[in-house]
Amino acid sequence: MAEQVGARILVNAFQEAGVNVIFTLSGNHIMPIFDAVIDAPIELIHTRHEAATVHMADAYARLTKKVGIAMVTGGPGHANAVSALYTAAMAEAPVVLLSGHAPINQLGKGAFQEMAQADIAAPLCKASWTCAGPEYLEADFRLACAIAQSGRPGPVHLSLPSDALENKLIKPSSSSPSPSAPSFQTKPQLLSAEDAKTIIAELQAAKKPVVLIGPRGCHRYPALVQELIKASGVPVIATESPRGIGDPSLGAFAEVLAQSDCILLLDKKLDFTLKFGSPPSLKSDARFIQVDAEAAELSRSKNALGVRLLLAAQADLEPSLTALISAAKTSGSKAHDPSWLSWAQEAIAYRPASWASAQSNTPNHAHPGRAMLSLQAILDSHPDSVLVADGGEIGQWAQACLHAPNRIINGVAGSIGAALPFATAAAYTKPGVPVIAVMGDGTFGFHSSEIDTAVRYRLPFIGVVGNDACWNAEYQIQIREYGKERAKGCELLPSRYDQVAIAFGGAGAMVTNADEVLSAARSLQSQGLPAILNILIEGLPAPSLKRV
């Protein structure tokens, strides 16, 4: 093997892993990698903020089912990126964050931007460590990718000391990870045929069973989910919203769950989104079954449910879906009451017909529901379109009113601000596909400069800002909990976010009427640029859907 610097060895590992894009922001510590990548078929998407690199890698991972790679410099660059790991973790997205790091031979001496980076990232990652030298770079990167995809996927962090990247290595890279790497073995966890048969039998014997699947099932295995529904006759509902039982994208889901007598948690955590399994949101005598990749989640459920948890099995999601489908097909029967499936599906699909003609009570402002419904025509224009939904109340209106083959939301994390990075990565990942990213005016402020990134790389999308000049989610809490007279500190200006997009070299338009939304969106789409459609909207609370 020819003499190579560590950065070249790492780039070779990128290529062997099939990496063709890295979302990054430059900095001193990672310049050796930038130099080494020049000669490789790997594109660097250079962002304006480190957190955006992680959000883009997150969106890429969700859309491609591959590992998304984010790369930032050390010290404050790493610290900026860390906050975005939480969104990726809660979305169960396999992301690897590579951070530059102070050189090993200067640690403890006050090195430039020296920081305990692995310790800072650890609480938000499946694993976090610092490479111990150039001979470990290849194995450490392979390990990081393997951990990110195993079991319940999620982010992994690996710090790269600058001397490990700069030093030359004459002998081949070690096949073993560095001493600081976690102990890990890739070992699929399978659901036994016996457990699968027992679970299907319990579901089919129940009067009103449901299967709840977590965030990963929403965007990785939709075909298997549909096959399980068909084989078992049981409703399978994918959930990924912090609104949980009150998720507007699931219609009258609360009514379905309140009647369910047997609930399979299939890679779905028993957490705040399900009110921890407690009445009155769920029946006090409802029985539970859980299949999860993590023993800790099974233990939490046992503590919360006691004897109500009939069976708990540790297994990965994809083989569990396959085993359950097989068991359902060979059982020779379906759900106890076939009408329950159609009733539950109708409840999930429920939306008030009145939204299509709803009028705003605020002059020169659009009703958020009607404005969102106008955009469905663009999403319907392509079989692989992408919907991004972010923000507080407007994000919920978007999720309730719009659907697309690909959906990326801020997820169980409940964080906001990722819409523009998400949209940029979506446009990169799916070129020529309509991408609509709905966000609040508060959300827009987090990463507005990523419009510059999208312009530089010619990545068109339509960013839709629901502009109510307010942090409306918090404002609604103030009104509800303390009264309107004590609502304070949530005010924003009705700013011209469309003109911000134009200033960055994109396109923009403002509308004040729901009837203008579709034509304005189509006009922006025709320009082939990153665009912002600034819609002045009435500041309504998110919809809470109940069938009358």
Side-chain angles (χ1 to χ4, degrees):
M1 180 178 177
E3 185 179 83
Q4 290 188 351
V5 298
R8 170 56 63 186
I9 293 169
L10 181 61
V11 170
N12 289 342
F14 292 162
Q15 293 181 250
E16 291 174 4
V19 174
N20 54 27
V21 62
I22 297 174
F23 303 96
T24 186
L25 202 161
S26 59
N28 295 27
H29 295 115
I30 55 174
M31 286 299 91
I33 303 175
F34 270 57
D35 180 69
V37 165
I38 289 176
D39 301 318
I42 298 173
E43 186 166 13
L44 299 181
I45 302 297
H46 198 240
T47 70
R48 296 293 300 271
H49 192 281
E50 286 89 357
T53 70
V54 176
H55 288 315
M56 290 185 193
D58 177 357
Y60 175 87
R62 296 195 222 180
L63 290 171
T64 64
K65 303 177 179 64
K66 299 178 182 179
V67 177
I69 308 297
M71 184 170 68
V72 302
T73 194
H78 169 77
N80 279 345
V82 164
S83 63
L85 291 172
Y86 183 66
T87 299
M90 297 302 283
E92 301 174 4
V95 169
V96 171
L97 170 62
L98 302 174
S99 300
H101 190 278
I104 298 170
N105 61 14
Q106 294 180 13
L107 295 183
K109 301 178 181 179
F112 174 61
Q113 296 184 341
E114 182 177 347
M115 184 183 290
Q117 294 180 186
D119 293 341
I120 291 169
L124 302 177
C125 293
K126 294 183 68 179
S128 180
W129 74 97
T130 302
C131 183
E135 66 271 30
Y136 300 111
L137 284 166
E138 180 182 350
D140 275 9
F141 178 71
R142 288 202 312 264
L143 178 61
C145 290
I147 295 174
Q149 297 177 90
S150 69
R152 173 175 277 112
V156 173
H157 164 253
L158 174 62
S159 271
L160 306 170
S162 56
D163 51 354
L165 299 172
E166 294 166 349
N167 290 350
K168 294 179 179 180
L169 184 68
I170 299 175
K171 63 180 182 179
S173 297
S174 169
S175 60
S176 300
S178 60
S180 55
S183 176
F184 173 81
Q185 288 184 336
T186 302
K187 188 176 181 181
Q189 301 177 110
L190 305 179
L191 181 66
S192 70
E194 181 180 351
D195 280 346
K197 289 179 182 179
T198 300
I199 291 169
I200 290 297
E202 289 286 349
L203 291 172
Q204 293 180 341
K207 292 181 178 180
K208 296 181 177 180
V210 295
V211 178
L212 302 183
I213 194 165
R216 196 163 27 131
C218 296
H219 43 82
R220 290 183 78 88
Y221 306 113
L224 288 177
V225 167
Q226 291 304 313
E227 193 174 352
L228 179 57
I229 295 171
K230 182 179 179 180
S232 67
V234 175
V236 181
I237 303 168
T239 67
E240 60 173 341
S241 169
R243 305 275 172 139
I245 294 172
D247 179 2
S249 71
L250 295 179
F253 174 48
E255 296 176 25
V256 176
L257 203 56
Q259 296 187 41
S260 301
D261 57 350
C262 184
I263 301 163
L264 168 60
L265 302 174
L266 184 55
D267 205 54
K268 166 62 183 169
K269 297 179 181 180
L270 184 69
D271 58 11
F272 73 98
T273 64
L274 296 178
K275 307 295 185 184
F276 309 102
S278 302
S281 298
L282 290 87
K283 295 179 66 174
S284 60
D285 59 350
R287 297 170 298 161
F288 286 80
I289 304 166
Q290 188 170 27
V291 178
D292 200 277
E294 297 178 342
E297 288 302 324
L298 300 176
S299 179
R300 279 203 311 126
S301 295
K302 289 176 183 177
N303 291 335
L305 298 170
V307 296
R308 296 168 65 200
L309 184 63
L310 304 180
L311 186 152
Q314 186 172 353
D316 294 338
L317 177 56
E318 185 175 14
S320 296
L321 281 166
T322 302
L324 290 169
I325 291 166
S326 178
K329 287 180 176 179
T330 58
S331 70
S333 61
K334 288 192 176 182
H336 175 76
D337 180 2
S339 67
W340 167 245
L341 174 59
S342 59
W343 187 93
Q345 290 176 330
E346 289 170 4
I348 298 299
Y350 169 72
R351 303 293 187 276
S354 60
W355 286 358
S357 57
Q359 298 294 323
S360 170
N361 293 316
T362 305
N364 298 317
H365 286 66
H367 184 280
R370 187 176 173 193
M372 293 300 101
L373 287 170
S374 302
L375 297 166
Q376 187 61 47
I378 294 177
L379 294 171
D380 288 341
S381 68
H382 196 284
D384 204 24
S385 60
V386 181
L387 169 65
V388 174
D390 188 10
E393 305 307 272
I394 189 62
Q396 304 307 310
W397 279 105
Q399 292 169 53
C401 295
L402 299 173
H403 59 272
N406 303 286
R407 188 181 85 149
I408 307 173
I409 69 170
N410 53 353
V412 182
S415 57
I416 66 169
L420 288 168
F422 281 169
T424 301
Y428 174 86
T429 305
K430 294 187 175 291
V433 169
V435 176
I436 290 182
V438 181
M439 68 200 83
D441 43 357
T443 292
F444 181 88
F446 281 78
H447 288 294
S448 58
S449 60
E450 296 310 328
I451 296 172
D452 169 86
T453 304
V455 168
R456 278 184 284 116
Y457 292 97
R458 300 179 182 178
L459 301 174
F461 57 79
I462 302 173
V464 179
V465 177
N467 188 346
D468 54 13
C470 184
W471 293 98
N472 195 27
E474 288 70 28
Y475 179 67
Q476 296 299 330
I477 292 173
Q478 289 180 330
I479 292 175
R480 185 173 64 249
E481 301 293 333
Y482 313 117
K484 191 171 183 178
E485 69 282 357
R486 299 187 68 81
K488 190 175 182 180
C490 294
E491 304 85 0
L492 294 172
L493 295 173
S495 301
R496 292 296 301 270
Y497 302 109
D498 50 307
Q499 293 184 357
V500 174
I502 294 170
F504 276 119
M510 185 178 79
V511 299
T512 61
N513 189 304
D515 293 332
E516 305 168 345
V517 169
L518 181 57
S519 60
R522 282 177 168 159
S523 176
L524 292 173
Q525 186 182 27
S526 69
Q527 298 182 51
L529 294 168
I532 293 296
L533 178 58
N534 184 18
I535 307 176
L536 298 187
I537 61 168
E538 182 179 6
L540 297 177
S544 179
L545 298 179
K546 297 179 182 179
R547 293 185 295 179
V548 178

